[in-house]
């Protein structure tokens, strides 16, 4: 079984930021949340908020989107082409995508590219509130083992050293930078 991070690994960019900018373009009134989003980022930087708390404050803009599912589909209509070709050429039926991005955002992308297994942050689409922790670092390992007990990772791909906990449990691990792939 091969496991992949999503943003900047198989997707060219950060899907959450791209979706936010897409939503701001479609509905500029979302910018009313920007001051509180910025404060949340600063509180995270000064260790007042943890990553989950900061991101939960960021996703508050979800509640201003009347039909989030429809907007997500439209977003992927425009951005599906940002899935990297090297991944599409190597994709297997039992691949797992594991990401800190919201499941509600990535599930549509996974459906379109034929990925059955997605592990991502569970964020309420009506409120932006988390159901559990941000799927990041060691949390990714815990969620992988919960969903796939007694399953080994053959190959793991990520753009970030924050995924070292997953890299350590894989038979082979690769660091992705753009379209360049090198051993971890």
């Amino acid at each position: 079984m091969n496991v992949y991070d999503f943003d900047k690994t198989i997707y060219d960019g950060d899907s959450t930021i791209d979706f936010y900018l897409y939503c701001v373009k479609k509905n500029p009134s979302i910018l009313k949340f920007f001051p509180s989003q910025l404060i949340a980022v600063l509180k995270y930087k000064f260790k007042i908020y943890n990553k989950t708390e900061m991101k939960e404050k960021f996703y508050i803009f979800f509640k201003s989107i009347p039909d989030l599912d429809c907007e997500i589909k439209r977003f992927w209509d425009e951005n599906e082409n940002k899935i990297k070709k090297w991944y599409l050429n190597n994709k297997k039926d039992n691949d797992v995508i594991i990401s800190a991005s919201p499941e509600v955002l990535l599930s549509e992308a996974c459906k379109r590219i034929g990925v059955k297994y997605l592990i991502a942050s569970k964020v309420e689409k009506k409120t932006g509130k988390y159901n559990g922790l941000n799927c990041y670092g060691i949390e990714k390992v815990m969620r992988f083992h919960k969903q796939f007990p007694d399953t080994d990772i053959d190959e793991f791909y990520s753009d970030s050293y924050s995924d070292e906990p997953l890299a350590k449990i894989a038979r082979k691990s690769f660091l992705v930078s753009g379209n360049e792939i090198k051993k971890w």
Side-chain angles (χ1 to χ4, degrees):
M1 176 175 278
N2 293 338
V3 176
Y4 298 84
D5 179 41
F6 189 79
D7 296 312
K8 299 178 188 169
T9 301
I10 69 164
Y11 177 80
D12 187 15
D14 184 312
S15 61
T16 299
I17 298 300
D18 288 355
F19 181 65
Y20 176 73
L21 295 173
Y22 167 87
C23 289
V24 166
K25 215 184 285 185
K26 298 279 184 185
N27 184 359
S29 69
I30 288 171
L31 289 173
K32 68 185 173 195
F33 297 113
F34 185 74
S36 64
Q37 291 169 319
L38 181 60
I39 289 168
V41 169
L42 293 172
K43 286 183 174 184
Y44 171 70
K45 293 285 184 199
F46 288 107
K47 300 185 186 321
I48 298 167
Y49 279 172
N50 64 35
K51 190 169 272 226
T52 301
E53 291 169 319
M54 181 266 297
K55 284 188 161 190
E56 191 171 76
K57 298 293 183 192
F58 177 78
Y59 295 130
I60 195 167
F61 79 95
F62 280 9
K63 67 183 182 180
S64 286
I65 302 170
D67 190 344
L68 186 63
D69 292 330
C70 182
E71 286 306 322
I72 288 170
K73 286 178 182 171
R74 289 182 184 145
F75 169 76
W76 286 114
D77 287 344
E78 292 182 19
N79 290 278
E80 183 179 351
N81 64 336
K82 291 178 79 173
I83 303 295
K84 296 178 181 180
K85 299 290 183 245
W86 69 261
Y87 171 71
L88 295 172
N89 292 334
N90 293 307
K91 190 174 80 62
K92 293 185 169 70
D93 288 341
N94 66 343
D95 283 352
V96 177
I97 301 293
I98 187 161
S99 176
S101 290
E103 180 180 74
V104 65
L105 177 60
L106 298 189
S107 59
E108 177 67 20
C110 287
K111 183 172 80 173
R112 289 174 182 227
I113 62 174
V115 172
K116 292 183 269 188
Y117 305 113
L118 170 65
I119 301 170
S121 295
K122 299 204 180 286
V123 178
E124 247 325 293
K125 60 184 171 183
K126 294 208 187 300
T127 64
K129 299 270 185 201
Y130 270 72
N131 182 6
L133 296 174
N134 186 41
C135 188
Y136 178 84
I138 195 70
E139 181 69 15
K140 286 185 176 184
V141 173
M142 293 170 32
R143 291 191 193 191
F144 177 81
H145 283 312
K146 184 177 180 182
Q147 189 163 339
F148 302 100
D150 304 318
T151 302
D152 293 326
I153 298 174
D154 296 315
E155 295 180 0
F156 173 66
Y157 296 79
S158 177
D159 69 298
S160 174
Y161 287 111
S162 68
D163 284 328
E164 189 169 13
L166 272 174
K168 284 183 175 180
I169 66 168
R171 288 187 179 115
K172 294 180 190 173
S173 297
F174 300 93
L175 202 55
V176 178
S177 179
N179 287 313
E180 182 184 337
I181 301 167
K182 61 183 181 181
K183 287 191 176 190
W184 194 278

